[in-house]
């Protein structure tokens, strides 16, 4: 995408030549219109204790359970409500657990064994791309 100057931007926004706009009070309101997008898909192959705890994934587990060292899948969506569908697809495609799901921000964290998390993340991204026609990103693995 080519960069444009401030003057060109103002001309496009206000449909007037810059010379006519110069010196006048202009009011712009910014808003975000989320599209249909999987904007992040990342797999942490083996979590360290500090990562697991800072994400709050240790909260709510049964006493004696320790999931440290499990793999973590992070996926981000717009519109945010799509996270509910993604959680359903992830749970049905592999033996993973929902670590965190935020339908108000579009974030999903899944946990489990590496191959299971990889499968779940791949199936979620594939479902959103092929069935729901979302724009999807590449899956990154660390």
């Amino acid at each position: 995408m080519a960069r444009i100057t401030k003057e060109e931007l103002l001309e496009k926004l206000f449909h007037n030549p810059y010379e006519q706009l110069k010196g006048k009070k202009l009011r712009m309101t910014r808003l975000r219109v989320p599209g249909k997008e999987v904007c992040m898909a990342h797999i942490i192959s083996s979590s360290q204790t500090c990562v697991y705890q800072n994400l709050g994934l240790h909260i709510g587990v049964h006493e004696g359970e320790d999931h440290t060292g499990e793999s973590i899948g992070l996926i981000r969506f717009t519109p945010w409500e799509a996270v509910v569908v993604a959680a359903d697809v992830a749970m049905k495609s592999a033996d993973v657990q929902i670590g965190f799901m935020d339908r108000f921000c579009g974030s999903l964290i899944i946990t489990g064994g590496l191959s299971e998390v990889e499968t779940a993340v791949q199936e979620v991204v594939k479902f959103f791309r092929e069935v729901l026609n979302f724009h999807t990103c590449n899956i990154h693995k660390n």
Side-chain angles (χ1 to χ4, degrees), residues 38 40-41 75-77 82-83 85-93 96 108 110 117-132 134 136 139:
V38 177
M40 182 186 76
I75 314 172
R76 174 94 165 70
F77 303 88
V83 75
V85 175
D88 180 54
V89 171
M91 294 295 292
K92 290 177 179 174
S93 63
V96 293
L108 176 65
I110 57 175
V117 169
E118 284 179 333
T119 299
V121 171
Q122 289 167 356
E123 289 301 314
V124 167
V125 172
K126 179 181 170 185
F127 179 83
F128 275 80
R129 181 181 56 248
E130 294 178 4
V131 177
L132 298 179
F134 272 50
T136 59
I139 300 170

Side-chain angles (χ1 to χ4, degrees), residues 3-33:
R3 295 182 58 91
I4 62 174
T5 65
K6 174 182 75 173
E7 292 81 11
E8 292 170 328
L9 174 65
L10 290 172
E11 287 177 357
K12 285 184 179 225
L13 290 174
F14 294 103
H15 307 290
N16 283 325
Y18 179 71
E19 289 303 316
Q20 291 178 359
L21 297 169
K22 194 165 42 173
K24 296 188 178 178
K25 288 187 177 183
L26 304 175
R27 182 176 178 183
M28 288 193 292
T29 304
R30 295 178 69 188
L31 59 110
R32 182 172 180 256
V33 179

Side-chain angles (χ1 to χ4, degrees), residues 44-53 55 57 66-72 111-112 142:
I44 299 173
S45 58
S46 180
S47 63
Q48 297 175 353
T49 302
C50 62
V51 173
Y52 202 82
Q53 289 179 348
L55 288 172
L57 299 174
D66 184 13
H67 298 281
T68 302
E70 288 187 347
S71 294
I72 300 173
T111 61
N142 187 4

